[in-house]
Amino acid sequence: MSTFLEVKNLHVTFPTEDGAVLASNNVSYSVALGETLAIVGESGSGKSVANLAVMGLHNPHRTQISGEAILHLPEGPIDVLSAAPETVRRLRGKAMSMIFQDPMSALHPFYTIGNQIAEAWALYNEGSKEDGIKRAVEMLDLVGIPDAAKRVHEYPHQFSGGMRQRVMIAMALVNNPSLLIADEPTTALDVTVQSQILRLLADLQKEFNMAVILITHDLGVVAEVADRVSVMYSGRIVESAAIDEIFYNSTHPYTRGLLNSIPRVDNHGKGTRLRAIPGQPPSLISVPKGCAFAARCEFISHVPGGLCIASNPDLLEKAPDHYSRCHLTGAQVIDIAAKNLAHQDNGAK
Amino acid sequence: MAENILELHDLKKHFPTTSGGLFSRRKGVVKAVDGVSLSIGVGETVGLVGESGCGKTTAGRTVMKLYEPTDGKIIFQGEDISHYSRKQMMPFRSQMQMIFQDPFASLNPRHTVGTIVGASYDIHGIKPAGGVENAVRDLLERVGLNPEHINRFPHEFSGGQRQRIGIARAIALRPKLIVADEPVSALDVSIQAQVVNLLDDLQQEFGLSYLFVAHDLSVVQHISDRVVVMYLGKVMESAPTESLFAKPRHPYTKALLSAVPIPDPRLERTRERILLQGDLPSPMNPPAGCVFNTRCWKVQDKCRSVVPEPVQIAPNHTLACHFPE
């Protein structure tokens, strides 16, 4: 697989009255054609902000962006962060596309579905309006909208939530982009519709050999579709690895905390207590000097000399292709977690 | 269970829809809740689940008498309150409280936390021993907030903390029943678990009963003793949590469970999914016969014409399906 997008040392800062908000702090990630990278984090972790920067969708007057985001196009690599806005505009929709959480506010209520898809098509293709509508019908067919030839003339309000998200996907893919960034694409949908949309995205990815970045907070969705995962906390990537490594061999206390705190439908019933992570994430204005997760971390007592409070750990390769931002070694985290679990089981008995 | 705190018998709530304009005429009805029966024992948690538009929120609000029921009975502690007036409801209000989904919209932004949580004492003319302020401080501490923050305003708190304020308000008068409408769905994953644990603790401490309305089946599975599955205003299946999740009998329950992703990639790769086709039909114009027939993979002619009645198939387990699993 060839790498398509490479983000290096991305910083995104919003100056505000209360001080600068460092929403994305030295973030690096990459995704290859045909691969799905999931970026996981809670609200305010910076997962959307970083990807909006890649798409060139931040207001340049109110945002400071530094770093690199290189698209490896067939005609040569290009850094979209330093490229002219006009160049980036011509890549949007063609080389890279994005779909959003709320398909209602992303569609224009006054125009028919067909017009909106045809408009996106006409940006990069020569042809009459009829050609555009014809292409829109093809796309609606592709994303599984029944009776596409008729529904292409309908308005967004005539579609259900799941159908609107299909329309958004059709619009995003109308020019065969190599990269699709999906920002919480199923969060607003019901579970039965969610599984339809995830299945559709996976099928289309295979068909067009797309690189997909899935931004989500739902670890169940991640388990279903991702090849690799980057976990973000407080503007930084804290762990990054192949999917099974993240779920079964995590070397970061925050990732472990998240996995422990979610109830599972296939698990024991009532009476067990959820292992919640205490406290809440720090403000992005006064980022702690040390590890951002230190105040909530249950592993902190295993690190000597207040190191976690004093210095922020680097993102280091703890196992082959498994990066983690923690003062403990990977083996230490795994070992302590196993002991904690055994201790808890004894307590339960 | 000695006595049921709440019983619903064939509860219905229909909303008329009008043509709009000056001389609006009735066009039809939306049968948001169309014959829901359930009971909640003392200290029990009943989960009410379903997809958006299935009527679960309307059912919860009708229980609270925020809506006047169209038909059916609401029995609270043995008393039929279905058609009580506002005035008649007053003594019951202190015994049944509600927690809302959106911790931003459900707290008055111009009032301090002290006023918000203490309001119920004034409304019901109750003078807690030691004064209202002390009572509010105790409540804040009980839900895990700093009692020193009593004079702060809602915007000074995070989403999770605001939900705790809503919970403090709900338990102020020591109610017997709490209707919790999606209480954790607006919260981040790590905060969700904190609030779920808090609800658990409060139930133990005060012997509360919960009607837990939610769409997230993993949370419902965790917190509920029994689960009621709704679809288009009707109850499809209702059973003790363990048997419902281990062996769902209604095709809809089965499909719903199989659609929930499990945070376990190895399991996900081998798990078989039932992929439902299409969307929820409009509640304005529900299908004839079984309301699920348009999406059910086991559908037969009978399902399109005959409404399946809820049948008890085991203790506490009812099912409305012609061809169960």
Side-chain angles (χ1 to χ4, degrees), chain B residues 157-194:
Chain B
F157 295 89
S158 68
Q161 289 173 321
R162 284 185 218 206
Q163 202 54 299
R164 288 175 193 267
I165 297 170
I167 294 172
R169 171 174 63 185
I171 61 168
L173 298 174
R174 299 283 181 269
K176 303 233 164 53
L177 172 72
I178 288 185
V179 176
D181 186 2
E182 301 271 11
V184 298
S185 58
L187 308 177
D188 270 321
V189 189
S190 74
I191 310 296
Q192 267 191 8
Q194 296 174 3

Side-chain angles (χ1 to χ4, degrees), chain A residues 43 192 196 248 267 277, chain B residues 51 188 194 221 264 269 276:
Chain A
S43 26
T192 56
Q196 295 170 4
Y248 306 116
N267 239 2
I277 306 177
Chain B
E51 298 178 276
D188 270 321
Q194 296 174 3
Q221 184 262 173
D264 188 338
R269 273 170 224 141
L276 285 184

